[in-house]
Amino acid sequence: APSYARSSLTEGSRMALEHLKAEVSLLVGNLADHPGDSHELYLQLHQKLNTLRAMALPVPSDLERLEKGLEEEFEEASRPKQS
């Protein structure tokens, strides 16, 4: 788990961070349990990670890799097939 500079966060920011971390954890678990819903789960994960970025908090590298991999997967799937 990443370490956040808790001393620089207000109590409200700490609570928001803990809430976001819990939501991301649930999304990752749902992605593993329901791979057919991966695009919707990717969109939700992307939104949560962007919230962390907007709060100027570090995004764990494993979640960044997951986000990037899913993004590439969906971009590839949306490209027209060459015959």
Side-chain angles (χ1 to χ4, degrees):
S3 62
Y4 297 97
R6 294 189 184 278
S7 60
S8 66
L9 298 176
T10 65
E11 185 62 30
S13 293
R14 273 195 291 275
M15 290 177 63
L17 174 61
E18 293 303 318
H19 184 74
L20 278 169
K21 286 169 46 180
E23 288 179 345
V24 167
S25 180
L26 280 171
L27 286 173
V28 171
N30 284 338
L31 185 58
D33 294 341
H34 306 285
D37 296 337
S38 60
H39 190 257
E40 178 61 30
L41 294 169
Y42 158 73
L43 294 174
Q44 292 177 33
L45 175 65
H46 182 68
Q47 178 184 26
K48 303 300 180 199
L49 297 183
N50 278 342
T51 301
L52 286 176
R53 292 176 183 116
M55 295 172 67
L57 295 170
V59 176
S61 60
D62 57 338
L63 294 179
E64 281 188 323
R65 286 191 305 272
L66 175 61
E67 177 188 37
K68 181 75 172 162
L70 289 170
E71 181 180 326
E72 290 171 357
E73 179 182 318
F74 296 126
E75 284 177 0
E76 186 175 311
S78 68
R79 285 190 204 118
K81 301 263 189 263
Q82 304 256 337
S83 39

